[in-house]
Amino acid sequence: MSTTAVTDERPGGSLRGASLPKWSPWAIAAGSAAAAAGIGVAAGLHSRIQWGLIAAILFVLGTYGVAARVEGRRQAKDRIATSLVWVAFLLAVVPLVSLVWTTVSRGVKVLDGYFLTHSMGVVADSEPGGGIYHAIIGSLEQVGLATLLGAPIGVLTAIYLVEYGRGRLAQAVTFFVDVMTGIPSIVAGLFILSLMLILEAQPFGFAGSLALAILMMPVVVRSTEEMLKLVPNELREASLALGVPKWRTILKVVLPTSIGGITTGIMLAVARIAGETAPVLLLVFGNPFINNNPFEGAQASLPLYIYQQYAQSAGANAAYDRAWAASLTLIAFVMILNLVARGIARWKAPNTGR
């Protein structure tokens, strides 16, 4: 590989400097990985994370050094910025891949048809067997009811803030939405629990749905608000110029244009509440038996089931395996919801073709 910057003048008068070949980043990455392994062995470092960090540092420095020698410092700065982006991307992806791999490898041990179609019933936490059917039913009902409550209120609130909101009321609503976005989930659970104590109510599934809806609404409001702001004002003005009322403009023009982003935001909110344990532990209380009625009696849920099984896993491999299998089921549940949401968003998105 030549290290001399050679320029040639083309007929148009443009100059082209020497550039690194396309395979050079891969070669630098391979060299950095080999050097990091050598340094790790020589220094007695046994952690692969340490090896990876050393390789990342060597990759960035190596990219800058080679690019500066061949292409010049200006192009080297561009390449080092690109290298930093790739390193940051890998630093974000590696924990995610590790999490998914660990969950899958440990969760498939007991994940089968029997596990998905049976409850714990009379099975003790320390004994093998049992399943998560009761927890799946509880999660579906609690998250579903929370979505039915939180999603419409969140979307309507965002429509008010974007299309109608003016003055102090809109500012107050925006302020409280910002505050609610950061409240801990246990606070929402304690709020509903205080109401239950006043009404002398026993734990039941719908109480958990109320707390989850409180956590869901600010996420829906913020995501929907941003999607509505992306709709060009020209579309609104064109509809209003034709004499269409504002409410019908919002219903027929604004919402269909932003339906994809709104649906994605709602699914993000669903994914956010699907893994909540604290409010469910306070309000739903858990139940090893199947309870299909969310308005009466204690219920189970997947996050609560995982917590209870892991808490009982000391000296009990069966409970430990069930906790990981339930975790894998919860991840698959959220993934399916996101895939369905993307399909609906693509199906309902306005046709932009000419």
Side-chain angles (χ1 to χ4, degrees):
M1 181 174 58
S2 175
T3 59
T4 303
V6 180
T7 60
D8 62 330
E9 186 171 356
R10 293 189 171 183
S14 63
L15 298 177
R16 184 184 66 178
S19 61
L20 293 172
K22 294 182 179 180
W23 49 264
S24 60
W26 299 100
I28 297 173
S32 301
I39 294 174
V41 172
L45 302 176
H46 302 288
S47 175
R48 295 181 179 179
I49 297 177
Q50 293 174 328
W51 290 20
L53 293 176
I54 295 174
I57 295 173
L58 293 178
F59 174 71
V60 174
L61 296 177
T63 300
Y64 179 79
V66 174
R69 184 174 180 82
V70 177
E71 300 177 331
R73 292 186 177 181
R74 183 176 182 180
Q75 186 65 21
K77 293 179 181 179
D78 178 75
R79 287 190 176 273
I80 199 173
T82 305
S83 301
L84 290 174
V85 171
W86 276 105
V87 169
F89 169 74
L90 292 176
L91 290 176
V93 168
V94 168
L96 177 61
V97 174
S98 176
L99 172 64
V100 173
W101 172 256
T102 303
T103 306
V104 172
S105 61
R106 297 184 177 182
V108 295
K109 293 181 179 179
V110 296
L111 185 60
D112 52 19
Y114 180 88
F115 183 75
L116 295 174
T117 55
H118 288 74
S119 67
M120 290 302 293
V122 295
V123 179
D125 291 333
S126 59
E127 298 177 353
I132 58 171
Y133 181 75
H134 61 302
I136 293 176
I137 293 297
S139 285
L140 289 176
E141 292 180 347
Q142 293 162 28
V143 174
L145 289 173
T147 304
L148 290 177
L149 291 173
I153 295 175
V155 172
L156 292 175
T157 302
I159 292 175
Y160 165 76
L161 292 176
V162 176
E163 304 294 338
Y164 297 98
R166 299 292 185 274
R168 294 184 177 181
L169 179 59
Q171 294 176 358
V173 172
T174 301
F175 172 76
F176 282 111
V177 168
D178 292 336
V179 172
M180 289 178 62
T181 303
I183 63 171
S185 59
I186 191 67
V187 175
L190 289 173
F191 172 71
I192 301 299
L193 180 62
S194 63
L195 297 179
M196 292 175 59
L197 294 176
I198 294 174
L199 300 175
E200 298 182 354
Q202 297 297 320
F204 62 108
F206 185 65
S209 299
L210 293 175
L212 296 179
I214 293 175
L215 297 173
M216 181 181 187
M217 281 187 287
V219 181
V220 176
V221 172
R222 274 286 161 258
S223 59
T224 303
E225 188 178 2
E226 294 302 322
M227 291 301 104
L228 294 178
K229 289 179 179 178
L230 293 177
V231 178
N233 287 327
E234 290 77 5
L235 295 178
R236 298 180 176 88
E237 295 170 355
S239 178
L240 296 174
L242 294 174
V244 180
K246 189 169 185 177
W247 68 268
R248 194 171 182 86
T249 299
I250 296 172
L251 187 63
K252 294 295 185 179
V253 177
V254 177
L255 289 179
T257 304
S258 57
I259 189 63
I262 294 174
T263 306
T264 302
I266 292 175
M267 287 301 103
L268 288 175
V270 170
R272 187 245 194 271
I273 65 174
E276 290 293 344
T277 305
V280 178
L281 180 62
L282 285 175
L283 306 172
V284 181
F285 218 63
N287 189 352
F289 296 93
I290 299 173
N291 179 12
N292 294 321
N293 186 3
F295 299 98
E296 183 179 0
Q299 265 192 327
S301 71
L302 283 174
L304 182 57
Y305 178 89
I306 296 168
Y307 168 76
Q308 292 174 337
Q309 292 298 310
Y310 192 80
Q312 299 295 329
S313 63
N317 292 330
Y320 186 76
D321 293 337
R322 285 194 296 263
W324 279 107
S327 301
L328 180 58
T329 305
L330 183 59
I331 292 175
F333 171 69
V334 174
M335 184 182 300
I336 291 172
L337 282 179
N338 279 275
L339 292 176
V340 172
R342 288 181 179 275
I344 295 175
R346 182 171 297 182
W347 175 44
K348 291 295 185 178
N351 187 10
T352 57
R354 294 184 179 181

